[in-house]
Amino acid sequence: MAMLEVRDLSVNYGVIQAVKNVSFEINQGEIVTLIGANGAGKSTIVKTISGLLKPKSGQIFYLGEEIDHKSAPQIVSAGISQVAEGRHIFAGMTVMENLQMGAFLQKNHDEVSKTYKDIFERFPILKKRRNQDAATLSGGEQQMLAMGRALMAKPKLLLLDEPSMGLSPLYIQEIFKIIKELNEKGTTILLIEQNAKQALSIADRGYVLATGVVQLSGTGQELLANPEVQKVYFGG
Ligand code: ATP
């Protein structure tokens, strides 16, 4: 059984059909990437999985249970956390307070303290800056904070929407390295990226989306070698 199964999903904004009969799955332990140009429907799919949007038709199953009618907090409780595009860190709050927001559903204080420790080990820069206003962090540091905040909920499945967006090449490398490490430590990952080459290089499998439809799918390596993908997404 797949960890997450998206079955014939369609999502509309009013009359705009943003996602059309999309099906894909994510197995436990995988990194799966959705790639596609601006407006292909990637963010809409992520927001629907995390319960922020409701499908027009189709279903989403997580560990065999249908979740598309559940609320966003219920979905976080079930083990799915999202890092939204643009990061949305809370300005005027410290790094530590931002992380705290990610643990809003955790009841066990010992467990929360341990999670902070894990996150500070993974992101030493967040520890160093823990008492600083989050708004003063660089873009790359804010991405790490957004990821750290999502990890405070101890997700089994992490949804990352364009984590490399707007970052310098050095930070992009760092973020992809961290994604790979998180996965090796046991977190299953859905990675949305416009940076197709890097995303496919670390992904087990990928799906190529265009105007709301899945056009191609395969292993990361197959898609990297696909002439159509090379032409459209790697610029020739
Ligand atoms: P991007 O990388 O630019 O976010 P995307 O692949 O994530 O692109 P979506 O943001 O999911 O694409 O958008 C899919 C389609 O839905 C686009 O045509 C977009 O214009 C439209 N859309 C997205 N959000 C809304 C909204 N709130 N209201 C109306 N249309 C929307």
Side-chain angles (χ1 to χ4, degrees), residues 16-210:
I16 298 170
Q17 210 182 340
V19 173
K20 301 164 195 160
N21 290 313
V22 164
S23 295
F24 67 93
E25 53 188 46
I26 306 172
N27 298 306
Q28 183 134 19
E30 281 188 314
I31 299 180
V32 170
T33 186
L34 294 184
I35 60 171
N38 262 332
K42 306 179 300 295
S43 295
T44 303
I45 292 172
V46 171
K47 286 179 193 160
T48 311
I49 296 170
S50 56
L52 300 171
L53 294 171
K54 293 295 161 205
K56 176 171 166 273
S57 59
Q59 284 111 26
I60 301 171
F61 296 91
Y62 172 66
L63 301 173
E65 189 189 352
E66 190 170 349
I67 57 164
D68 45 81
H69 54 278
K70 294 195 177 207
S71 69
Q74 282 174 326
I75 290 171
V76 175
S77 287
I80 303 178
S81 289
Q82 181 197 355
V83 181
E85 182 179 336
R87 317 193 246 279
H88 300 282
I89 58 115
F90 301 109
M93 288 169 68
T94 64
V95 165
M96 199 71 189
E97 287 164 345
N98 267 269
L99 289 175
Q100 221 167 354
M101 301 297 281
F104 73 106
L105 290 168
Q106 306 288 326
K107 302 275 178 282
N108 182 333
H109 288 281
D110 292 345
E111 192 66 29
V112 173
S113 305
K114 188 178 168 298
T115 311
Y116 276 122
K117 206 168 148 267
D118 291 346
I119 286 167
F120 285 147
E121 261 166 39
R122 168 126 351 251
F123 303 103
I125 193 72
L126 296 184
K127 184 174 187 186
K128 195 167 159 212
R129 304 215 186 290
R130 65 188 180 281
N131 296 318
Q132 211 167 303
D133 185 332
T136 64
L137 302 185
S138 73
E141 290 165 355
Q142 289 190 10
Q143 182 59 45
M144 290 179 199
L145 177 55
M147 288 170 75
R149 187 177 56 192
L151 291 170
M152 287 300 295
K154 302 190 74 75
K156 296 188 184 75
L157 173 63
L158 186 63
L159 313 174
L160 298 171
D161 194 350
E162 307 239 7
S164 78
M165 193 171 64
L167 302 185
S168 66
L170 210 65
Y171 266 126
I172 293 178
Q173 294 306 330
E174 180 69 16
I175 291 293
F176 278 103
K177 190 170 140 251
I178 290 167
I179 294 169
K180 190 93 188 119
E181 284 169 4
L182 287 172
N183 177 250
E184 280 160 6
K185 284 265 165 104
T187 310
T188 304
I189 289 172
L190 176 63
L191 173 62
I192 305 298
E193 267 295 338
Q194 286 195 41
N195 198 333
K197 206 177 222 169
Q198 301 242 32
L200 290 172
S201 313
I202 65 162
D204 296 294
R205 294 184 307 108
Y207 295 83
V208 179
L209 220 72

